[in-house]
Amino acid sequence: MLTTNTEFLHAELMDVVRLFGPDAPDLSHSFLYAENNFINTVIAEGREFAYRDEYPCADELEFKRYAKRFAKLAVYNALKTLTGKTMPWGALTGIRPTKLAYGEREQGRPFEPMFEKFGVAPENIALVGDVLAAQEGIYGREEGAADLYIGIPFCPSKCNYCSFITADIGKTEKHLENYLAALEKEIAGCAGLYKNLKSIYIGGGTPLVLHTEQLRRVLEAAEPFARRGIEYTVEAGRPDVFTEEKLALLQEYGVTRVCVNPQSFCNETLERIGRKHTAEDIYRAYEMARRFPFEINFDLIAGLTGESAAQFEESVDRAVALTPENITVHTLCLKKGARLKEEESFLEGGDMAEMIAYARSRLYAAGYVPYYLYRQKYMAGNFENTGWTKPGKACVYNIDVMEEITDNIACGANAVTKKLFAGEGRIERLGAPKDIPAYIAKIDKIISDKRALFGRA
Ligand code: SF4
């Protein structure tokens, strides 16, 4: 439990307390600001910890930002002393550490001293530096630049760790035709919302769970946006849905990148997490996709139920041996809605540090570089998700979305459109309903709200 005399800090401070797990001691926090000094006092277990940080703030916005930062740091340092534990990202709890790093650079400072002050582990500071280096030439804000996202929230079965809205297609097929019709309408309604479209991303769910003709409808709807040479990803998905016919269709419509999502190459794990495919299917799908001129991404997850460090490391080795252009290493993250969350049987940390360290050293050694990263709440071991790429093969869409440097025009149930107002330093979000029938019923309003957000009502 945590109490504070400053209400707007409470949620941020609770994020820090959560890092230390359910056994974190009760804390009483108080905050005072005087003559450019942020004074934070934490009392716990009969001890008092007092911290004073000096920073002259230009305005109210900056004051709030630094008040949160220094208060979090105070609580983190007190908990570190009391528990003897440190966290890989120290007192940083946000989703996008790289955005903080860019923020420091924009202020004319190197980002490293701030990360050090916040207790970020040296290897993570180096990781952020490598991500920023890999984004050179891609990272940049440009008025009217956007990416188009199209969501297909259907899957062959539901994985036990999944909290996404997707459902087993056997249960939701009845909505599919109406969903596709609404999606076609929404995609058409995106015309004229941008000056420069940088990429298209059809994500899931599992887009290739659609039958060939259904898939054609989605590609046909996106066709007016798919100028020649644009990066065009289809998160094809689980290996059991790959067919030559569907891949040929993707090629016909100009798709440049596909995701094959093994998650693990261990058959026992795949069965345990509720996927209906084997490691052999991954090889089959990869070889099939390789016959086309696509760049390929693999997703792997560290910390899947019952999986040992050795099994995860073997998956990393097998993925690297196949030489896809991109490999994304996720850390298991359990949110509300995941079956596994209800069972509460996931790996709490344990071998995670070893797994993440192994993946990093193996990928660096194989010539991959980290090119984007993000964190989520409730990640096992408080680690991160990192996208790795062969040099020159970074996915522009992932960088744009993670760094929030372009508008994201998103279509489909649960899709979140983001409009940047760079001059005002703010982002406006517009989320579509999660529920598929509600999305279908409200499609006209979704389209008009989106066009209004972009000043095109
Ligand atoms: S394939 Fe992905 S979206 Fe579909 S159920 Fe599994 S984790 Fe969820």
Side-chain angles (χ1 to χ4, degrees), residues 10-186:
H10 189 265
E12 300 272 339
L13 296 181
M14 277 309 296
D15 286 345
V16 177
V17 173
R18 261 185 232 108
L19 298 176
F20 288 81
D23 300 331
D26 290 346
L27 303 175
S28 162
H29 165 265
S30 64
F31 169 72
L32 185 70
Y33 181 68
E35 294 171 1
N36 293 335
N37 280 282
F38 293 81
I39 302 158
N40 288 281
T41 307
V42 181
I43 298 173
E45 296 184 344
R47 297 173 65 181
E48 182 173 308
F49 303 85
Y51 305 91
R52 177 185 288 264
D53 296 276
E54 190 176 356
Y55 189 85
C57 296
D59 54 32
E60 178 72 11
L61 208 65
E62 194 169 42
F63 163 73
K64 283 208 164 172
R65 188 182 318 135
Y66 278 86
K68 285 176 187 171
R69 280 190 193 172
F70 291 130
K72 282 162 69 171
L73 184 58
V75 167
Y76 177 76
N77 282 333
L79 284 170
K80 187 173 85 171
T81 307
L82 289 166
T83 64
K85 291 185 194 168
T86 57
M87 298 296 146
W89 290 92
L92 296 190
T93 56
I95 292 172
R96 299 175 167 88
T98 46
K99 270 192 92 173
L100 273 183
Y102 278 119
E104 288 298 285
R105 284 192 174 178
E106 278 159 21
Q107 299 282 327
R109 302 185 287 252
F111 76 87
E112 289 88 345
M114 195 268 264
F115 277 49
E116 280 161 15
K117 183 173 168 75
F118 276 76
V120 179
E123 61 273 20
N124 285 342
I125 296 177
L127 184 77
V128 169
D130 287 345
V131 168
L132 266 50
Q135 293 186 354
E136 273 172 31
I138 300 174
Y139 183 91
R141 294 198 183 90
E142 178 196 337
E143 189 60 34
D147 301 276
L148 177 67
Y149 176 83
I150 298 168
I152 308 291
F154 300 92
C155 284
S157 63
K158 180 106 173 170
C159 304
N160 72 351
Y161 57 84
C162 182
S163 58
F164 183 56
I165 57 156
T166 193
D168 184 326
I169 196 154
K171 293 182 192 148
T172 51
E173 204 160 15
K174 57 181 180 289
H175 302 304
L176 193 49
E177 279 305 305
N178 289 339
Y179 182 79
L180 291 177
L183 193 60
E184 286 170 321
K185 202 171 176 186
E186 190 181 7

Side-chain angles (χ1 to χ4, degrees), residues 133-345:
Q135 293 186 354
E136 273 172 31
I138 300 174
Y139 183 91
R141 294 198 183 90
E142 178 196 337
E143 189 60 34
D147 301 276
L148 177 67
Y149 176 83
I150 298 168
I152 308 291
F154 300 92
C155 284
S157 63
K158 180 106 173 170
C159 304
N160 72 351
Y161 57 84
C162 182
S163 58
F164 183 56
I165 57 156
T166 193
D168 184 326
I169 196 154
K171 293 182 192 148
T172 51
E173 204 160 15
K174 57 181 180 289
H175 302 304
L176 193 49
E177 279 305 305
N178 289 339
Y179 182 79
L180 291 177
L183 193 60
E184 286 170 321
K185 202 171 176 186
E186 190 181 7
I187 297 168
C190 295
L193 299 188
Y194 55 85
K195 279 193 201 137
N196 173 24
L197 193 72
K198 292 177 71 183
S199 72
I200 302 174
Y201 194 105
I202 302 183
T206 305
L208 256 56
V209 80
L210 299 180
H211 298 307
T212 307
E213 284 317 306
Q214 294 165 334
L215 185 61
R216 184 186 290 280
R217 284 176 61 184
V218 179
L219 294 164
E220 189 62 36
E223 172 69 7
F225 301 86
R227 70 180 155 74
R228 206 176 162 74
I230 196 171
E231 177 186 286
Y232 192 165
T233 299
V234 175
E235 194 179 8
R238 294 152 57 145
D240 43 336
V241 293
F242 278 61
T243 67
E244 295 261 2
E245 193 184 29
K246 291 179 195 173
L247 292 173
L249 193 65
L250 300 187
Q251 186 188 10
E252 183 189 328
Y253 279 87
V255 170
T256 60
R257 182 174 179 270
V258 296
C259 304
V260 184
N261 294 339
Q263 320 304 41
S264 169
F265 281 76
C266 173
N267 281 338
E268 296 88 68
T269 304
L270 290 169
E271 193 182 341
R272 210 180 293 124
I273 64 176
R275 290 170 82 98
K276 289 180 177 166
H277 67 83
T278 62
E280 292 65 41
D281 293 323
I282 300 167
Y283 285 102
R284 187 186 63 85
Y286 181 79
E287 279 156 22
M288 198 187 285
R290 265 286 174 247
R291 281 179 231 137
F292 295 84
F294 303 131
E295 293 184 347
I296 296 177
N297 173 70
F298 272 173
D299 271 3
L300 295 176
I301 301 179
L304 288 169
T305 332
E307 188 156 272
S308 66
Q311 286 169 324
F312 171 74
E313 288 162 18
E314 189 182 335
S315 290
V316 174
D317 289 344
R318 292 222 218 170
V320 164
L322 289 171
T323 68
E325 284 75 13
N326 303 155
I327 297 178
T328 311
V329 180
H330 296 267
T331 304
L332 187 68
C333 173
L334 293 177
K335 298 186 202 158
K336 227 169 131 225
R339 189 150 43 87
L340 199 55
K341 176 81 180 161
E342 282 140 37
E343 293 165 13
E344 292 291 356
S345 58

